[in-house]
């Protein structure tokens, strides 16, 4: 299944977290079953790499 970039970003959920007194917006996806796995990407990339 091919997912376009706009489909990928539209399916993300977002949350605001405070880090050192700064509010940061974090996008994430919650999918599948089993133990959780966290993937972190660097800059200038984004989570589309993990599709």
């Amino acid at each position: 299944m091919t997912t376009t970039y706009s489909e990928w970003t539209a399916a993300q959920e977002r949350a605001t977290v405070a880090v050192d007194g700064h509010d940061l917006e974090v996008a994430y996806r919650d999918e599948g079953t089993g133990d959780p796995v966290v993937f972190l990407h660097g800059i200038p990339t984004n989570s589309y790499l993990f599709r």
Side-chain angles (χ1 to χ4, degrees):
M1 177 172 128
T2 302
T3 303
T4 66
Y5 181 76
S6 56
E7 291 170 336
W8 179 262
T9 56
Q12 292 177 338
E13 299 181 54
R14 299 187 184 283
T16 301
V17 296
V19 177
D20 292 332
H22 300 281
D23 288 340
L24 303 174
E25 186 175 307
V26 177
Y28 65 95
R29 294 178 68 121
D30 186 356
E31 296 184 8
T33 59
D35 293 333
V37 177
V38 177
F39 293 93
L40 300 174
H41 63 79
I43 296 174
T45 62
N46 59 40
S47 65
Y48 190 60
L49 293 172
F50 305 127
R51 69 188 183 289

